[in-house]
Amino acid sequence: MLPDIKSMCPFVEDSFSRFPSQSNIYGLCQAGEQEFLAATLKGKVVCFRYQDQQKKIRPLAREIQFTYIPVDAEIVSIDAFNKSAPKRGMVVGITFIKDSGDKATPFLNIYCDYEPGSEFNLESIAQSCLNLELQFTPFQLYHTEVHCGDGSSETVFLLSGHDQRIHLYIENASLHQFEEQPVERLFPELQELPSNVLWLNVLSIDQNRRLTAFGCQNGSVGLSLVNQKGPEILQNWRLQHDSPISTVLLFPLKHIRNHAPPTDSSERETFNLLVTSAIEMAVVYRDVEQYGLSRQLCLAESDQCDAVLCALVVDLDFDGQHELLLGTYGQDLLCYKFHQPTGAIEDKLQLLWRRSFKSPLLSLIYLDLDGDGLRELAVLTLKGLHILQHSLKTTADLVLHRLSTLVSRLPISSKDQSIKNQDGEEGYISIINEQSTAET
Amino acid sequence: MRSVSYVQRVSLDFTGTIFPHAICLGDADNDSLTCVGVGDVCNKGRNFVVAVGAEGWFHLFDISASAAKADSSSQQDGSIGDEQKPSFTQHIPANTKVMLISDIDGDGRCELVVGYTDRVVRAFRWEEPSDASDLSSGQLVLLKKWLLEGQVDSLSVNPSPEGLPELMVSQPGCGYAILMCSWTQEGAAGPGDEKTATPSREGPSRDVVLHLTTGRIHNKNVSTHLIGSIRRGTEKACGLFALCTLDGTLKLMDSSEKLLWSVQVDHQLFALQKLDVTGDGREEVVACAWDGQTYIIDHARMVVRFQFDENVNAFCAGQYACKDGKNSPCLVYVSFNHKIYVYWRVELERMEPTNLLSVLEERPEYPDLLHRLGVGDQTPATCTVVNEKPA
């Protein structure tokens, strides 16, 4: 018997698209500023965005024909990224298994267009393909930005396989194509893996370091702190859970000490690791930089809805603090919030709301689809894709309330002061931040 | 068009089969919380449940009286859910198909109109002696009989351009007929004069006004449904009515026969209802097809679709209280495997997709606030900057 949930889900469903065949947990990725790609089992890839037609907005799902994907192929995973500066262009990677008689052959197709002018055009990108045959069954296709030895940045593909290894695909600039390279050259922490990696997550932090986390099929979780210069492993942690890990997610949290005035020095940013698994409760490991995997915080009732398959850490109620979203096979979307009771040292996570769906949830993405600055939540379920929008009435009320609070704080002389686009943005947002924390 | 997926539902079991018109929503026990019921047929100021069988047995159930009795005699709550005994029974002509309880002649009292499978429509009024204490001394009295050319699939009442109620009946081929209530014109016409030769022979030509809504009829025999008195907000008293056919045509018209919109879908629509899902006082047209595809269309032709997963035997839409003790718009589906599904959270904020900037631009205080903050002549980029939330 679940206790009363205090809050209501702030999302309203805007649209639902049925898919002809099902997708999986690796089948959703962001491609571009305001669109995303969803891949289904039977080889179809759908691009979803909102189209602006004569001041009316329409959700639009169009199928993109990616070349060199055979008719009988089953798509396993999809990922897309924009190349790091100064390079330009979008790269899409699709792994699939081609069923040719008695042998199933896995492939990785990398799509990238080098023609100036069409580097970001999905239709032309879908035409230029690099076809790589794989010697292992692919799992998650992931991308991350890595600092190379010579000071430049490069975005690379990391593909986990059933051979208990992670494979690195990097662009060879002179040949204008992607190729596989040994992973230990750029990611020494991914060399010795205990089992097949089901989920990988990398977060860049300050001082040219990064945190790498992975979750395996046998339940082990690995976390490494790496200095990108070298690269050199600074610290390594391993932990064993009791069931396969479905997602790992690294996220920052700001801690404001209550008794100190809100200056920058008293705001400490800590990095935390969310680990979700098939059977157990989801847990958050607090402040991994300092404590590694020793400070565990459980998300109560997260094991009541069958396996947790996807997770997202975003600020949903615009108060400056992140909430945790968990999507489960039991057709529920759970939202957790950090509770920092005053005076107590430990904080805890509380279930804020839950929303039911008609079919199991596979993947979550939070991005701005309709170009209004407010992000929508795209939920990929077994039956199709749901686009959830924040309730526009309450959000419009909130915006007007914050604007009028800002206006009331204006000194009379500076009413004509214009806000600069770039520099003023952070100042503006920090005013909203500071004011919202003062409100709570 | 936009599709939505409704999840919250309650399922109820029942035994036997349900005829497509045998389900409706109304406040039966008069406690202002609705449950299945029909209308104030006895003009007593409260609603009764009316059930008419195919053999012509008319049963009247007074649920509020039995609820009060159960409270006072300290019976269990389950007795209300048990077999309801009708308070009154009468035999009227058999082969009933559809029924309507409403005021059709503008005299302020409800009449009972019954449509039959032999293309006949009869109107009855409840008459009882003025000193009657309970229902057993009253009876239904036949007012008029109309004979139509095509099958009667729906009955509805719609206000005419002058504001008086008109009885409308659907006719095959996306047509409708307006039935005149001649007893008000004649004044002295008694209830039992249907046997008089002259009025009944002239009846069809004088009292039935047939309207065909399309010049090019694809199928003259396609079954058609009708719903009237669709509220269009508080501006006009004139109501709208909607028609749907089994081959997928949906039309919205007003009583001056002006067509507001026409939609063609590729599903077989068999049920037509009206429901205010957006909460703005204007009712939307809800049409359901045999395979569960449901269309919700507003007056501006914005369509929202919902797919119910099973084949639908009967469909109904209205205000129902499932949780929180207050009415909310609901969709009720009866499937072919003895289950009734009530979807109780079907409210939509708006019919068409929109974004935050459009909603903000409609608020009067928004441009003024932006101007005072020095963000004038908003380019869309600036708007996005201003509206960006702390990540």
Side-chain angles (χ1 to χ4, degrees), chain B residues 122-305:
Chain B
R122 289 193 176 88
F124 299 87
R125 183 183 287 133
W126 178 259
E127 308 245 327
E128 62 185 12
S130 46
D131 57 350
S133 55
D134 61 4
L135 294 170
S136 52
S137 52
Q139 59 164 354
L140 282 177
V141 169
L142 176 68
L143 289 172
K144 189 158 174 68
K145 166 183 155 184
W146 295 273
L147 182 61
L148 284 112
E149 286 177 17
Q151 275 291 324
V152 173
D153 283 310
S154 293
L155 300 169
S156 191
V157 167
N158 197 49
S160 69
E162 298 87 40
L164 293 171
E166 286 181 324
L167 176 64
M168 295 174 71
V169 155
S170 68
Q171 289 287 275
C174 204
Y176 64 97
I178 296 181
L179 306 181
M180 303 298 195
C181 304
S182 53
W183 61 88
T184 54
Q185 290 152 13
E186 286 163 16
D193 66 359
E194 65 161 302
K195 297 203 173 40
T196 316
T198 326
S200 61
R201 219 182 291 135
E202 288 178 27
S205 56
R206 190 185 55 174
D207 297 336
V208 174
V209 183
L210 184 64
H211 297 260
L212 294 170
T213 60
T214 163
R216 198 166 47 96
I217 304 169
H218 297 279
N219 180 358
K220 289 202 178 95
N221 296 322
V222 69
S223 87
T224 307
H225 289 82
L226 170 80
I227 189 144
S229 302
I230 298 175
R231 284 208 310 268
R232 27 151 79 161
T234 51
E235 314 106 36
K236 292 183 190 179
C238 181
L240 301 172
F241 66 93
L243 289 158
C244 83
T245 66
L246 201 64
D247 59 5
T249 310
L250 263 165
K251 291 188 189 188
L252 185 68
M253 306 175 75
D254 72 6
S255 45
S256 56
E257 288 199 63
K258 188 177 82 160
L259 177 72
L260 272 83
W261 49 253
S262 171
V263 169
Q264 185 74 35
V265 301
D266 53 356
H267 290 259
Q268 296 176 316
L269 303 170
F270 80 103
L272 194 60
Q273 299 275 324
K274 57 181 178 166
L275 185 64
D276 183 8
V277 297
T278 50
D280 60 351
R282 294 192 298 179
E283 290 179 316
E284 282 77 39
V285 175
V286 185
C288 184
W290 285 114
D291 62 354
Q293 181 83 242
T294 312
Y295 295 89
I296 303 173
I297 313 183
D298 74 353
H299 303 181
R301 206 179 176 273
M302 287 304 310
V303 184
V304 173
R305 279 186 306 174

